[in-house]
């Protein structure tokens, strides 16, 4: 019995139950296992090769499509406009353009609205003192000054931008707009400035701030983006530029 245990000992692990993986298989059994596994490996290899071939074909088709059509068509719908008594100049003017087109009366109204709040508060303090002391009244004046400054600027800005919308008399602004745009056409510059945004993102920016001045009482919102969606037909600028260039050419020819 001891000799038999020594012969069987290599077939068991330390627990005496599990066969040892170090026992070599019979050559015939080993060949049978290899023969049973080999077709499965070949089948798996053929399947992955087929998928790789299909992926390569799709990539080639996509590359050919991109080469044949390198540009992407961008669709742009005309923006909605509001019927007004005066001509529409721009339904989403740039912030700086609104400031440049402001009239002297806009500055006067803005300053008057800005100082009205702090002025009335100071007058009431003079005639009916609040007895809060110098420190408390100074804080109230600073707050009133900030509110007055903000309100005065919004009032000034809204008066100017409403002329772009055609909601108030804007004969002066119509002439200024035509002159500015015609000069840009002659100089070969973009009408509304250069933009680093894609046409799609320009449309997003335009939709966010179009006619935003009508909502100033709830949320002040300005346009700081150069884009080409302003609700007007820009052909009139090019036609006027052609007429002026033709007139200049005829004037030079006659002289």
């Amino acid at each position: 019995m001891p000799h038999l245990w020594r012969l069987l000992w290599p077939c068991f692990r330390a627990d005496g139950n599990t066969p040892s993986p170090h026992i070599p298989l019979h050559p015939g059994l080993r060949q049978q296992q290899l023969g049973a596994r080999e077709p499965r490996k070949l089948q798996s290899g053929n399947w992955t090769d087929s998928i790789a071939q299909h992926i390569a074909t799709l990539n080639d088709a996509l590359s050919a499509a991109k080469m044949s059509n390198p540009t992407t068509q961008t669709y742009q719908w005309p923006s909605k406009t509001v019927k007004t008594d005066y001509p529409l100049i721009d339904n989403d003017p740039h912030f700086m353009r609104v400031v440049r087109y402001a009239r002297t009366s806009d500055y006067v109204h803005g300053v008057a609205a800005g100082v009205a709040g702090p002025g009335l508060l100071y007058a009431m303090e003079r005639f009916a003192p609040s007895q809060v002391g110098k420190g408390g009244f100074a804080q109230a004046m600073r707050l009133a000054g900030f509110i007055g400054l903000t309100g005065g600027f919004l009032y000034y800005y809204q008066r100017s931008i409403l002329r772009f919308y055609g909601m108030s008399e804007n004969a002066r602004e119509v002439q200024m707009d035509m002159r500015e745009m015609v000069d840009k056409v002659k100089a070969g510059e973009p009408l509304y400035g250069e933009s680093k945004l894609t046409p799609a993102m320009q449309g997003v920016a335009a939709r966010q701030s179009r006619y935003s001045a009508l909502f100033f009482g709830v949320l002040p919102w300005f346009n700081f983006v150069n884009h080409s969606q302003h609700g007007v037909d820009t052909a009139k600028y090019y036609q006027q530029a052609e007429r002026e260039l033709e007139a200049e050419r005829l004037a030079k020819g006659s002289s």
Side-chain angles (χ1 to χ4, degrees):
M1 290 297 292
H3 299 285
L4 181 60
W5 178 254
R6 290 178 182 177
L7 293 175
L8 295 177
W9 174 254
C11 300
F12 295 87
R13 291 183 179 175
D15 55 4
N17 295 323
T18 307
S20 173
H22 303 290
I23 301 176
L25 293 175
H26 190 274
L29 296 176
R30 182 66 176 174
Q31 187 65 27
Q32 290 180 5
Q33 287 189 356
L34 291 176
R37 293 178 182 177
E38 188 172 358
R40 183 176 298 178
K41 289 183 179 179
L42 292 175
Q43 184 178 2
S44 176
N46 293 335
W47 182 69
T48 55
D49 292 343
S50 178
I51 291 179
Q53 185 177 1
H54 284 297
I55 292 175
T57 304
L58 290 175
N59 290 333
D60 294 340
L62 290 175
S63 300
K66 290 180 180 179
M67 292 179 63
S68 61
N69 187 19
T71 58
T72 303
Q73 180 67 33
T74 302
Y75 297 95
Q76 177 178 332
W77 286 267
S79 61
K80 184 178 180 180
T81 57
V82 180
K83 292 183 179 180
T84 57
D85 296 333
Y86 303 95
L88 173 66
I89 300 175
D90 193 336
N91 61 9
D92 189 26
H94 194 276
F95 176 86
M96 296 305 300
R97 197 170 184 225
V98 177
V99 173
R100 286 190 291 107
Y101 278 51
R103 299 182 181 182
T104 305
S105 60
D106 299 333
Y107 288 96
V108 173
H109 283 80
V111 171
V115 301
L120 290 175
L121 182 62
Y122 180 78
M124 288 188 293
E125 180 66 19
R126 294 286 294 179
F127 289 100
S130 59
Q131 306 298 333
V132 296
K134 293 183 178 180
F137 182 70
Q139 293 180 359
M141 283 295 295
R142 284 194 292 269
L143 178 60
F146 173 75
I147 295 175
L149 180 64
T150 304
F153 173 77
L154 293 178
Y155 184 45
Y156 143 84
Y157 188 90
Q158 190 176 49
R159 282 178 56 89
S160 178
I161 199 173
L162 287 180
R163 299 189 188 95
F164 284 89
Y165 296 163
M167 297 182 178
S168 59
E169 188 276 322
N170 59 359
R172 167 183 170 271
E173 286 71 22
V174 169
Q175 295 179 359
M176 292 177 63
D177 171 71
M178 181 61 70
R179 185 72 269 151
E180 178 185 2
M181 295 304 177
V182 169
D183 291 342
K184 287 185 176 181
V185 171
K186 292 181 179 180
E189 300 175 357
L191 295 180
Y192 298 100
E194 297 181 357
S195 179
K196 297 181 180 180
L197 300 179
T198 62
M201 293 306 299
Q202 292 181 32
V204 172
R207 289 188 293 273
Q208 294 295 325
S209 56
R210 185 175 295 130
Y211 289 111
S212 60
L214 303 179
F215 208 57
F216 267 5
V218 178
L219 178 65
W221 198 272
F222 309 96
N223 174 33
F224 297 100
V225 177
N226 291 329
H227 59 80
S228 59
Q229 302 181 22
H230 296 267
V232 295
D233 186 6
T234 57
K236 59 183 179 180
Y237 304 127
Y238 293 92
Q239 294 171 358
Q240 180 63 25
E242 290 178 357
R243 286 192 290 265
E244 292 185 4
L245 291 174
E246 182 65 18
E248 293 174 2
R249 186 185 65 82
L250 294 176
K252 290 181 180 180
S254 61
S255 61

